């Protein structure tokens, strides 16, 4: 029976350092939440988003403090969508809202979204399509808000 050579402290250090450098290199190659080119070999377009995507939004508002909402967005595959959600904040109980949405989506699978809510608010997001078009990672870009969301496809359009 042959034994594997014993690892010296130096060889373990080298292996650990190599793994750490590889992880940092890979992490720096793609922004957080970005889709890898292999995930979307043909790239994205507004047609990439079709069907229903659901999920939770959470964050904070300078005006209301912590907030959260759960929503369902129906993408039409043409740069438009509709949404319905229930919003909770520190200053108000459950509030149902609907929205009409316009969005753009670049070939690199990043986009922008403008949501006209039924309560009169206009909200802006940047987003990235991930997981082969089955998920969206969103960030609200309006001053006074720090809100993020992760939406997952629940029905294909």
């Amino acid at each position: 029976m042959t034994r594997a050579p014993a690892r010296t402290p130096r060889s373990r250090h080298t292996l650990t350092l190599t793994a750490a450098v590889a992880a940092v290199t890979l992490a720096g190659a793609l922004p957080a939440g970005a889709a890898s080119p292999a995930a979307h070999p043909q790239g994205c377009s507004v047609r990439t988003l079709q069907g229903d995507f659901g999920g939770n939004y959470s964050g904070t508002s300078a005006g209301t403090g912590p907030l959260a909402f759960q929503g369902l967005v129906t993408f039409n595959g043409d740069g438009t969508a509709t949404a319905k959600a229930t919003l909770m904040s520190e200053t108000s109980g459950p509030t149902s809202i609907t929205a009409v949405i316009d969005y753009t989506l670049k070939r690199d699978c990043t986009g922008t979204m403008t949501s006209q809510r039924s309560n009169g608010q206009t909200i802006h997001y940047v987003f990235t399509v991930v997981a082969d078009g089955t998920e969206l990672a969103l960030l609200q870009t309006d001053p006074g808000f720090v809100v993020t969301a992760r939406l997952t496809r629940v029905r294909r359009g």
Side-chain angles (χ1 to χ4, degrees), residues 25-108:
T25 302
L26 288 173
L30 292 173
S36 70
H40 302 284
Q42 292 81 31
C44 288
S45 74
V46 293
R47 291 182 300 283
T48 302
L49 297 178
Q50 296 185 34
D52 295 335
F53 287 72
N56 296 314
Y57 298 68
S58 63
T60 189
S61 160
T64 63
L67 59 86
F69 57 102
Q70 194 169 53
L72 182 70
V73 181
T74 301
F75 289 93
N76 300 316
D78 63 359
T80 66
T82 56
K84 54 186 171 183
T86 300
L87 171 66
M88 290 285 297
S89 75
E90 196 169 90
T91 60
S92 68
T95 304
S96 294
I97 58 172
T98 59
V100 176
I101 298 168
D102 292 310
Y103 67 94
T104 63
L105 187 54
K106 295 188 273 185
R107 184 170 172 75
D108 69 358

Side-chain angles (χ1 to χ4, degrees), residues 23-36 108-111 126-131 135-139 148-150:
V24 168
T25 302
L26 288 173
L30 292 173
S36 70
D108 69 358
C109 299
T110 61
V126 293
F127 67 92
T128 303
V129 176
V130 295
E135 293 184 17
L136 298 175
L138 294 96
L139 172 67
T148 61
R150 187 87 171 192

